Amino acid sequence: CMVDMYLLTLALSTGIGLGRHFTRLEWVQRQFIDKLGIDPFPGTINLMVDAAEDMAVWERLKCEPGLHIDNPDDGPHDCDARCYLVSIEGRIDGAIVLPEVAAYPSGQIEMIAAIGVREALGIGDGDPMRIELR
């Protein structure tokens, strides 16, 4: 299923803190640098898909193979993931990280970037964030 629209506007949300652990794992950090060219800021940017048209774009994007992050471990918070390079607000390079876990919420998107996006953009929970597939 091809993605025919590459732009999403989503609401910023606070996560449960697992992204900070995940982005600090040595094997994750190494693969983000090698495969995505991003040395991730600790943690992930959590976004919620609310609008039906954004959900349709997100569902189509999830059909794409993306760039694969391979988990060499079987830890309780370790999993494989697919990533998609994005531009955040047209100013910050980042990547969507889609954990490959069965119970992952369908309307949640996590992203990484090399800098603290909230601070760089001066945004907080509930604020809209525009992301575009690169």
Side-chain angles (χ1 to χ4, degrees):
C1 53
M2 294 296 295
V3 176
D4 56 4
M5 184 175 170
Y6 299 108
L7 185 63
L8 295 162
T9 301
L10 309 165
L12 189 62
S13 164
T14 297
I16 59 173
L18 289 178
R20 182 173 299 274
H21 164 78
F22 182 72
T23 57
R24 297 292 91 192
L25 293 170
E26 186 276 330
W27 64 267
V28 171
Q29 215 169 9
R30 182 176 16 84
Q31 289 186 60
F32 282 163
I33 292 168
D34 293 347
K35 295 180 179 183
L36 307 174
I38 297 172
D39 185 359
F41 185 83
T44 58
I45 302 122
N46 292 278
L47 302 162
M48 299 308 296
V49 182
D50 292 323
E53 49 280 357
D54 287 329
M55 184 58 88
V57 171
W58 177 227
E59 290 299 328
R60 287 192 306 272
L61 180 58
K62 289 191 291 187
C63 293
E64 298 295 323
L67 300 165
H68 201 261
I69 302 298
D70 302 304
N71 172 19
D73 302 321
D74 284 323
H77 302 296
D78 301 336
C79 63
D80 287 356
R82 282 180 286 141
C83 298
Y84 308 93
L85 294 173
V86 296
S87 174
I88 303 166
E89 291 292 329
R91 301 189 303 186
I92 301 170
D93 290 338
I96 291 173
V97 179
L98 177 60
E100 293 187 339
V101 293
Y104 191 76
S106 64
Q108 182 175 331
I109 295 177
E110 294 188 54
M111 292 189 310
I112 59 164
I115 63 172
V117 172
R118 284 175 178 261
E119 296 78 19
L121 297 177
I123 56 176
D125 281 359
D127 288 343
M129 182 183 293
R130 184 178 153 137
I131 60 172
E132 186 171 3
L133 203 62
R134 290 194 285 143

